[in-house]
Amino acid sequence: MTARHSAGLLLFRRGDGGLEVLLGHMGGPFFARKDAGAWTVPKGEYEPDEPAWEAARREFREELGVAPPDGEAIPLGEVRQTNGKIVTAWAVEADFDPAVIEPGTFVMEWPPRSGRTREFPELDRVAWYGLDRAREVIVRAQAAFLDRLAEHSG
C-alpha cells in the first residue's frame, strides 16, 4: 500500500510574544470536543502527478475558502503521521484574519451505521497560537514543523 501524501501552508507572523502560527481545528464529529491533537496545518491530499507546492496552495484555498498569501515560502520538509500519511509543509509569513474563512466541507455517514449522511466543515475554526501553545494542540507529528520554523526564524 502506498502512503497517502498531503501538502499544506503554515502561516506565521511575529507577535509581541514571538512567533505565532495559524492552525485549523479539524471539523467533524470525531474532533468536536477535542483540543489537543485536533489542530493542524491547513493541508490536504494530492495525487503523485501534482507538485506538492501547487497542492499546498490549492488546499489552502479549499480548506479556508480564501486565496493563499504570496510571500517567501520556507520549506519545512516532511513528517509522517501515525496514520502513515506523509505531510509536506511550507511556512509563509502573512497576517490573516481568521474571521474571513469559508471552509470547505466533506460528507460522511453520521451517526455511524445510521445510513444518514451529514456535511461537516473540513476545518471548523482557525486561530493564531504562540509556538508553545501550538505544540500542545497540533497533531503530534506536525510539531516538527513548528520546531523547523523556530530554527529558521531564530
Side-chain angles (χ1 to χ4, degrees):
M1 186 171 133
T2 318
R4 296 176 304 153
H5 288 78
S6 283
L9 297 180
L10 178 63
L11 299 192
F12 72 98
R13 65 184 184 188
R14 298 169 200 281
D16 293 338
L19 287 180
E20 297 178 333
V21 293
L22 185 76
L23 299 179
H25 185 269
M26 292 182 274
F30 298 120
F31 299 100
R33 292 182 174 81
K34 293 182 181 169
D35 198 41
W39 291 80
T40 182
V41 171
K43 62 171 181 50
E45 291 187 17
Y46 65 98
E47 297 298 321
D49 61 342
E50 181 180 15
W53 168 246
E54 290 177 20
R57 293 183 56 79
R58 175 183 53 75
E59 285 294 335
F60 187 92
R61 180 183 298 277
E62 288 179 14
E63 297 268 319
L64 301 180
V66 295
D70 292 323
E72 177 191 356
I74 302 164
L76 299 177
E78 295 181 343
V79 298
R80 182 181 292 270
Q81 298 183 160
T82 55
N83 63 5
K85 183 184 290 184
I86 297 170
V87 180
T88 305
W90 287 264
V92 177
E93 187 168 4
D95 204 354
F96 179 86
D97 180 0
V100 303
I101 72 159
E102 295 180 19
T105 60
F106 67 96
V107 175
M108 67 179 283
E109 182 181 18
W110 192 257
R113 297 177 295 286
S114 68
R116 295 191 308 265
T117 58
R118 288 190 46 202
E119 189 173 41
F120 297 96
E122 296 273 356
L123 298 174
D124 58 22
R125 61 192 182 275
V126 297
W128 288 101
Y129 284 110
L131 291 182
D132 289 342
R133 180 69 178 134
R135 282 186 188 92
E136 295 172 3
V137 299
I138 198 167
V139 171
R140 186 175 299 133
Q142 293 180 27
F145 295 142
L146 305 177
D147 297 337
R148 294 170 192 166
L149 174 62
E151 288 171 16
H152 181 274
S153 302

